[in-house]
Amino acid sequence: MVARLGCAVMAGLVATLVISMFMILRLSAGLMPWYNPIEIMNLTAQRALGTPSSMYVGWLIHFAVGTLIWGVLFGLMVSDLPGSTDTRRGLVFGLGTWLVVMLTVFPMAGSGFFGMGFGLVAPISTLLGHIVFGLVLGATYGWLRRL
């Protein structure tokens, strides 16, 4: 169990790093600069926890959730998820995490269910990010378990 959770946490870190690179590249290229998931996490923390406004808070939450919360939950659930491979199970998990974010984080940040306050681009781009996250999570987890 401990080894499985360790692999899942490491896979969560790798997957979080990958989607973070995509976010940074998108923002650096000036694509949709008004849509910044890290700022959304910062706003959510301000509203829910009373934290000061800081991008550091947003990044800390982003990495804590992706690595620890999603990583551990994936490690606990992986054998019960549908799919014939860890990569497919990761995809299913990523879709589930997307749904959770759409129904909790965006409303807490004040942008409504599915982030529709940002327009259609928010749920679509977030869905793509969670698909990548899930695929990388599952593939990395499977690779680490085979070592």
Side-chain angles (χ1 to χ4, degrees):
M1 169 79 102
V2 173
R4 185 175 78 217
L5 290 180
C7 289
V9 168
M10 287 303 299
L13 175 62
V14 170
T16 302
L17 285 168
V18 168
I19 64 166
S20 297
M21 287 188 296
F22 281 117
M23 276 194 305
I24 291 168
L25 288 171
R26 178 184 57 80
L27 290 169
S28 296
L31 298 172
M32 300 179 298
W34 45 267
Y35 174 62
N36 184 343
I38 301 304
E39 179 60 22
I40 292 167
M41 288 180 224
N42 175 43
L43 291 171
T44 302
Q46 283 179 278
R47 290 180 185 213
L49 305 172
T51 61
S53 178
S54 170
M55 293 305 278
Y56 295 115
V57 170
W59 279 108
L60 179 67
I61 292 169
H62 172 67
F63 272 92
V65 169
T67 302
L68 300 175
I69 295 175
W70 294 145
V72 168
L73 280 174
F74 181 73
L76 293 172
M77 297 173 63
V78 66
S79 59
D80 297 319
L81 292 169
S84 57
T85 66
D86 289 325
T87 303
R88 288 182 182 159
R89 289 183 200 97
L91 174 60
V92 170
F93 186 80
L95 293 171
T97 61
W98 172 77
L99 189 58
V100 168
V101 168
M102 294 296 101
L103 297 175
T104 60
V105 175
F106 277 103
M108 284 193 293
S111 55
F113 288 110
F114 292 87
M116 292 308 289
F118 289 109
L120 195 54
V121 73
I124 292 171
S125 63
T126 307
L127 174 61
L128 294 174
H130 280 84
I131 287 171
V132 170
F133 176 84
L135 290 170
V136 173
L137 176 72
T140 304
Y141 174 82
W143 179 75
L144 290 170
R145 293 284 291 163
R146 289 188 297 277
L147 289 180

